[in-house]
Amino acid sequence: MKVDGKDMRPIWFDTQSETVKVIDQRMLPHKFIVAELKTVDDIIDAIKQMFVRGAPLIGATGAFGVYNALKQISDVINYDDYLQTECQRLKDARPTAVNLAWGVDRVLRVVLKYDRYEERLKAAFKEACDIVEEEAENCRLIGQYGCSLIEDISLKKSIAKRQGQEDKKREQNKKTQQGEQSQKREKRVNILTHCNAGWLATVEYGTATAPIYTAFDKGIDIHVWVDETRPLNQGARLTAWELGKHGIPHTVITDNAGGHLMQHGMVDMVIVGTDRTTRTGDVANKIGTYLKALAANDNGVPFYVALPSSTFDWNLTDGINDIPIEERNPDEIRYVQGVDSYGNLISVLVPPEKSHAVNHAFDVTPARLVTGFITERGICKASEASILSLFPEYASRKQ
Amino acid sequence: MKVDGKDMRPIWFDTQSETVKVIDQRMLPHKFIVAELKTVDDIIDAIKQMFVRGAPLIGATGAFGVYNALKQISDVINYDDYLQTECQRLKDARPTAVNLAWGVDRVLRVVLKYDRYEERLKAAFKEACDIVEEEAENCRLIGQYGCSLIEDISLKKSIAKRQGQEDKKREQNKKTQQGEQSQKREKRVNILTHCNAGWLATVEYGTATAPIYTAFDKGIDIHVWVDETRPLNQGARLTAWELGKHGIPHTVITDNAGGHLMQHGMVDMVIVGTDRTTRTGDVANKIGTYLKALAANDNGVPFYVALPSSTFDWNLTDGINDIPIEERNPDEIRYVQGVDSYGNLISVLVPPEKSHAVNHAFDVTPARLVTGFITERGICKASEASILSLFPEYASRKQ
């Protein structure tokens, strides 16, 4: 996507230096830093320390990890054990997102078809690049399908507005600018999103944001409520940055605010991404997603999850009990990063020094609270039957 | 309550300087600063800028505002208009908490019974002091009643644990220390609270924390999940500080985490305070409370609201539509305050400079999601009939 007019992706292969490069997202929105990932350890570190994050991007980065592993053993021709160990280390970097294992395994599977080192290296590179391009294409398609939902809401609001205007005309002559503004707002589609499932989390378009970018580019009047998304503030830092760079109207809110906004009709739909979704439709996503789904359900607001098929875990049926939830360093809660009045990027301690904190990074939203999934093959309901109607090739894979 | 062994309240009248003094809570937990409130403007500023916060404490501070108003006009003997204006200014300082208007009106009512200035001043002082003492006593009683709920849960968990132990003994010999620890935890009562409804928000004990302090002092094994409570982090800053100073085990979590913890049986009950509760049981409290109530309801976790009767708004029946929700400065979201690595208390900017933010400070939890109220007169259900059975004197006041 565009950053200050320049095409940009969060991951790319630099042909000059022959290395994988990524945006170090920890520094955004205040600093724009590119990191080189030359080794498997660099890849693991970038995933663990969250230079890169977001299920599809983690998958793509992990895929390049297999390529890096091969590059590091150019003197060993058929060292399969080493490769398996390195792939396991890559997959262990973060436990919740299924795309990581999916990306690593996919490249490994292709690599193992070949015996010669050069062939393996070439195959790994090609497969990793394919994954990146496929994810970009998947997100483009998610954008197309999801946009239709936004268009529907926009249309309904326009009709309701027109109806309201006609009703009012009969009663009075509205003329103030304020009146016009509030009417303009009545037509606007307000979308709430949690965390960053934007192009920074994928490769292009994003997952949750793909319908938003697509709708905005089509000229639909939209506005995005951006949950700041504690503890790492990916919403306030990354989603707000992305949307701002694209010119999309948005407002940063605390994670606490969504329920109130929905109660008062200020949210027309919720779209979030996911790190892993079971074949039955249970959705693991950034901690706090479940609370928004509850509020949406309580207020009749549609709650959609946007994901490429690589984020489905076709082996799982019980998200709450079976998806491992990563527990991260409590300092991510205790310290908050931002810029001080001198423009320096620093961290400040918020709670008392001695207070403990616990940092569960994800939660699971049960399928019953999900209105539907927006995938690269279309929209389906949050049930195994509906999901498999889009992805019939996985119907028989149930364990 | 105790701070480093010293008795402390968040508000007191300093007889030497003849001024109201308060803890400037904006600086906690990193700095302990006392502010003098000599004028009505000082009082308004302290309430608006949140030197003091929490419904009962705002009420007590507002009550002293009437005393300050009288002190400022010692040359005017019967200037009722002035007094009414000053009282209105005091009541307008924050719109959501009903205690502010309640405290101001109560002192004003008493003052207007007298004609002579000296009598009025004396009456205002006495009434403000009475309010402070009554709030302290109310919170002590809330602690007593609420403690019984915690004791019940503790007892049930002990029985379940004993049952579990006997079942296990038949199967195996548990011996590891880890096993013992996890069993100890099984018995522990885990209470989640949002924001700070502690003694810093009242005068003594707090509202939501009163049952917690009482249970802990009785030797019941408890642990508190402290929602950090964005945007102003009253949980991470104030509740964690209070509980830590009292030696109560607690863990700071993000506001996003409660749903996940409840899904996994890690929360036995929720207790929160409130800024205004309708006679029908709708609860206005810090933004995000509604989301926790939804999660508690979804997981069968009891959700209690602790409040003195001064926090009931006996005139309102529809909380969602009738309680005014304060919208505060968006910079409270955009900037986060904490200490830097040099120990300086500073603020850092988190989202992009250009991104907008909106800061609704409260939300309303509908009565249907509230298990019960803990008041100074006992525990009741969240229905008008049940509330009025404790407070029959308000039965006929309905508008």
Side-chain angles (χ1 to χ4, degrees):
Chain A
M1 308 299 281
K2 300 276 183 201
V3 176
D4 300 327
K6 250 181 74 179
D7 273 318
M8 178 64 68
R9 283 180 168 184
I11 188 167
W12 66 96
F13 190 80
D14 185 66
T15 45
Q16 202 136 27
S17 62
E18 294 206 339
T19 53
V20 182
K21 291 193 173 179
V22 297
I23 300 172
D24 181 353
Q25 301 189 23
R26 299 171 307 168
M27 305 298 152
L28 285 174
H30 306 294
K31 286 188 182 180
F32 188 86
I33 291 174
V34 171
E36 285 198 337
L37 310 182
K38 293 183 177 179
T39 63
V40 175
D41 284 342
D42 286 349
I43 296 270
I44 291 173
D45 200 47
I47 293 172
K48 269 196 177 162
Q49 303 301 323
M50 297 176 68
F51 291 48
V52 293
R53 14 74 50 211
L57 180 57
I58 289 177
T61 311
F64 273 111
V66 187
Y67 169 75
N68 277 7
L70 279 161
K71 264 185 86 174
Q72 281 177 267
I73 48 155
S74 57
D75 48 339
V76 184
I77 291 192
N78 197 355
Y79 203 177
D80 284 0
D81 280 355
Y82 159 85
L83 207 54
Q84 295 282 1
T85 309
E86 292 302 274
C87 285
Q88 194 54 52
R89 284 179 59 222
L90 283 164
K91 290 194 279 184
D92 290 344
R94 291 194 73 190
T96 303
V98 73
N99 302 57
L100 180 55
W102 172 88
V104 170
D105 285 340
R106 179 169 149 179
V107 178
L108 180 62
R109 218 166 27 242
V110 171
V111 161
L112 293 180
K113 287 184 188 163
Y114 299 91
D115 290 324
R116 285 186 43 225
Y117 173 74
E118 290 303 331
E119 284 174 335
R120 286 186 160 191
L121 191 66
K122 208 175 137 190
F125 181 73
K126 185 183 175 300
E127 198 67 16
C129 291
D130 282 357
I131 286 175
V132 166
E133 295 307 322
E134 284 170 28
E135 291 295 3
E137 176 60 10
N138 284 343
C139 290
R140 194 185 65 78
L141 291 167
I142 287 170
Q144 298 290 325
Y145 287 114
C147 181
S148 66
L149 297 169
I150 299 174
E151 277 178 312
D152 285 352
I153 293 170
S154 176
L155 196 66
K156 274 182 203 154
K157 289 191 94 167
S158 294
I159 292 167
K161 186 196 143 194
R162 218 173 302 140
Q163 190 63 46
Q165 277 174 334
E166 281 162 19
D167 290 353
K168 271 185 192 161
K169 262 186 199 160
R170 258 167 260 143
E171 288 171 44
Q172 62 185 84
N173 253 341
K174 291 283 278 181
K175 56 198 171 294
T176 64
Q177 214 189 339
Q178 209 181 8
E180 275 165 39
Q181 268 183 357
S182 89
Q183 277 177 19
K184 192 181 167 198
R185 282 203 196 119
E186 279 169 30
K187 208 186 76 179
R188 176 169 271 192
V189 180
N190 292 294
I191 301 165
L192 185 144
T193 191
H194 190 68
C195 198
N196 173 262
W199 65 261
L200 284 168
T202 61
V203 176
E204 295 264 23
Y205 305 100
T207 51
T209 57
I212 292 167
Y213 285 119
T214 309
F216 179 79
D217 290 347
K218 270 194 169 180
I220 298 172
D221 184 11
I222 58 169
H223 163 260
V224 183
W225 296 109
V226 179
D227 273 3
E228 57 177 7
T229 318
R230 292 280 299 142
L232 288 177
N233 298 316
Q234 290 96 334
R237 295 192 301 108
L238 306 178
T239 304
W241 181 79
E242 271 194 27
L243 296 176
K245 288 287 176 195
H246 204 82
I248 298 180
H250 63 281
T251 305
V252 176
I253 51 173
T254 62
D255 302 314
N256 285 324
H260 171 75
L261 297 177
M262 292 185 213
Q263 260 181 346
H264 291 270
M266 291 187 273
V267 181
D268 296 302
M269 73 188 301
V270 180
I271 315 181
V272 297
T274 165
D275 296 81
R276 186 189 299 220
T277 288
T278 65
R279 63 188 289 129
T280 48
D282 294 339
V283 175
N285 191 40
K286 180 64 57 211
I287 190 89
T289 302
Y290 167 49
L291 296 173
K292 292 300 135 63
L294 284 167
N297 182 60
D298 201 45
N299 293 285
V301 173
F303 183 94
Y304 282 94
V305 179
L307 74 170
S309 54
S310 55
T311 305
F312 280 108
D313 186 331
W314 301 106
N315 294 316
L316 297 188
T317 54
D318 180 349
I320 290 168
N321 289 311
D322 294 342
I323 297 177
I325 298 298
E326 180 179 2
E327 210 180 305
R328 295 181 57 84
N329 191 332
D331 282 350
E332 291 182 352
I333 295 177
R334 298 172 68 236
Y335 290 86
V336 176
Q337 180 186 272
V339 286
D340 67 12
S341 52
Y342 303 102
N344 298 314
L345 193 61
I346 61 163
S347 289
V348 294
L349 173 71
V350 176
E353 180 67 52
K354 288 181 185 166
S355 288
H356 293 287
V358 165
N359 186 9
H360 298 274
F362 303 92
D363 64 19
V364 175
T365 299
R368 66 183 150 88
L369 299 175
V370 178
T371 308
F373 293 111
I374 310 168
T375 79
E376 74 268 25
R377 292 204 193 152
I379 294 163
C380 66
K381 287 190 184 158
S383 71
E384 186 166 4
S386 188
I387 294 167
L388 290 177
S389 72
L390 286 185
F391 300 96
E393 66 270 40
Y394 295 103
S396 59
R397 287 208 194 174
K398 194 170 172 183
Q399 285 186 324
Chain B
M1 309 299 283
K2 300 275 183 200
V3 175
D4 300 329
K6 249 181 74 180
D7 273 318
M8 178 64 68
R9 283 180 169 184
I11 188 167
W12 67 96
F13 189 80
D14 185 67
T15 46
Q16 204 137 24
S17 62
E18 294 206 338
T19 53
V20 182
K21 290 193 172 178
V22 296
I23 301 172
D24 182 352
Q25 301 188 23
R26 300 171 306 169
M27 305 298 152
L28 287 174
H30 305 294
K31 286 188 182 178
F32 188 88
I33 291 173
V34 171
E36 285 198 339
L37 310 182
K38 293 183 178 178
T39 63
V40 175
D41 284 341
D42 286 349
I43 297 271
I44 290 172
D45 200 48
I47 292 171
K48 270 197 177 160
Q49 304 300 323
M50 297 176 68
F51 292 47
V52 294
R53 12 73 51 209
L57 180 57
I58 288 177
T61 310
F64 272 111
V66 187
Y67 168 75
N68 277 7
L70 278 161
K71 263 186 86 174
Q72 281 177 267
I73 47 154
S74 58
D75 50 339
V76 184
I77 294 192
N78 198 354
Y79 203 178
D80 284 359
D81 281 353
Y82 159 85
L83 207 53
Q84 296 282 3
T85 310
E86 291 302 274
C87 285
Q88 196 53 52
R89 284 179 59 222
L90 282 164
K91 289 194 279 184
D92 291 343
R94 290 194 75 189
T96 303
V98 73
N99 302 57
L100 179 54
W102 172 88
V104 170
D105 286 339
R106 177 169 150 180
V107 178
L108 180 62
R109 217 162 31 237
V110 172
V111 162
L112 294 179
K113 287 182 189 164
Y114 298 92
D115 291 323
R116 285 187 43 227
Y117 174 75
E118 289 303 328
E119 284 174 334
R120 286 185 160 194
L121 191 67
K122 207 174 137 190
F125 181 73
K126 185 182 174 300
E127 199 65 18
C129 290
D130 283 356
I131 286 175
V132 167
E133 294 309 321
E134 284 170 28
E135 290 295 4
E137 176 61 9
N138 285 343
C139 289
R140 193 185 66 79
L141 291 167
I142 287 169
Q144 299 288 326
Y145 288 114
C147 182
S148 66
L149 297 169
I150 299 174
E151 275 178 315
D152 284 351
I153 293 170
S154 176
L155 195 66
K156 274 182 203 152
K157 289 191 94 168
S158 294
I159 292 166
K161 184 196 144 195
R162 219 174 300 139
Q163 190 63 46
Q165 276 173 334
E166 280 162 21
D167 290 352
K168 270 186 192 161
K169 262 187 199 159
R170 259 168 261 145
E171 287 171 44
Q172 64 185 82
N173 254 341
K174 292 283 279 181
K175 57 200 171 293
T176 63
Q177 215 191 336
Q178 210 182 6
E180 275 164 37
Q181 269 183 357
S182 88
Q183 277 177 19
K184 194 184 167 197
R185 281 202 198 124
E186 281 168 28
K187 208 186 77 178
R188 178 170 271 192
V189 180
N190 291 294
I191 301 164
L192 184 143
T193 191
H194 190 68
C195 197
N196 173 261
W199 66 261
L200 285 169
T202 61
V203 176
E204 296 263 22
Y205 304 100
T207 52
T209 57
I212 291 167
Y213 285 119
T214 309
F216 180 79
D217 290 347
K218 269 193 169 181
I220 298 172
D221 184 10
I222 59 169
H223 164 260
V224 184
W225 296 111
V226 179
D227 274 3
E228 57 179 5
T229 318
R230 293 281 298 144
L232 288 176
N233 298 316
Q234 290 97 334
R237 295 190 303 108
L238 306 178
T239 305
W241 181 79
E242 270 195 26
L243 296 176
K245 288 289 176 194
H246 204 82
I248 299 180
H250 64 281
T251 305
V252 176
I253 51 173
T254 62
D255 302 314
N256 285 324
H260 171 75
L261 297 176
M262 291 185 212
Q263 261 182 345
H264 291 270
M266 291 187 273
V267 181
D268 296 302
M269 73 188 300
V270 180
I271 314 180
V272 297
T274 164
D275 296 81
R276 187 189 297 220
T277 288
T278 65
R279 62 187 290 131
T280 49
D282 294 339
V283 175
N285 191 40
K286 181 62 57 210
I287 188 91
T289 302
Y290 167 49
L291 296 173
K292 292 301 135 61
L294 284 167
N297 182 59
D298 201 46
N299 293 283
V301 174
F303 183 93
Y304 282 94
V305 179
L307 74 170
S309 53
S310 54
T311 305
F312 280 107
D313 186 330
W314 302 106
N315 294 316
L316 297 189
T317 53
D318 180 350
I320 291 169
N321 289 311
D322 295 342
I323 297 177
I325 298 297
E326 180 179 2
E327 210 181 304
R328 294 181 59 83
N329 191 331
D331 281 350
E332 291 182 352
I333 294 177
R334 299 173 68 236
Y335 290 86
V336 176
Q337 180 185 271
V339 286
D340 67 12
S341 53
Y342 303 103
N344 299 316
L345 193 60
I346 61 162
S347 289
V348 294
L349 173 71
V350 175
E353 180 68 52
K354 288 181 186 168
S355 288
H356 293 288
V358 165
N359 185 10
H360 298 274
F362 302 92
D363 64 20
V364 175
T365 299
R368 68 185 150 87
L369 300 174
V370 178
T371 308
F373 293 111
I374 311 169
T375 79
E376 74 269 23
R377 291 201 194 155
I379 294 162
C380 66
K381 288 191 184 157
S383 71
E384 185 164 7
S386 188
I387 294 167
L388 290 176
S389 73
L390 286 185
F391 299 96
E393 66 269 39
Y394 296 102
S396 57
R397 287 206 192 176
K398 194 170 171 183
Q399 285 185 323

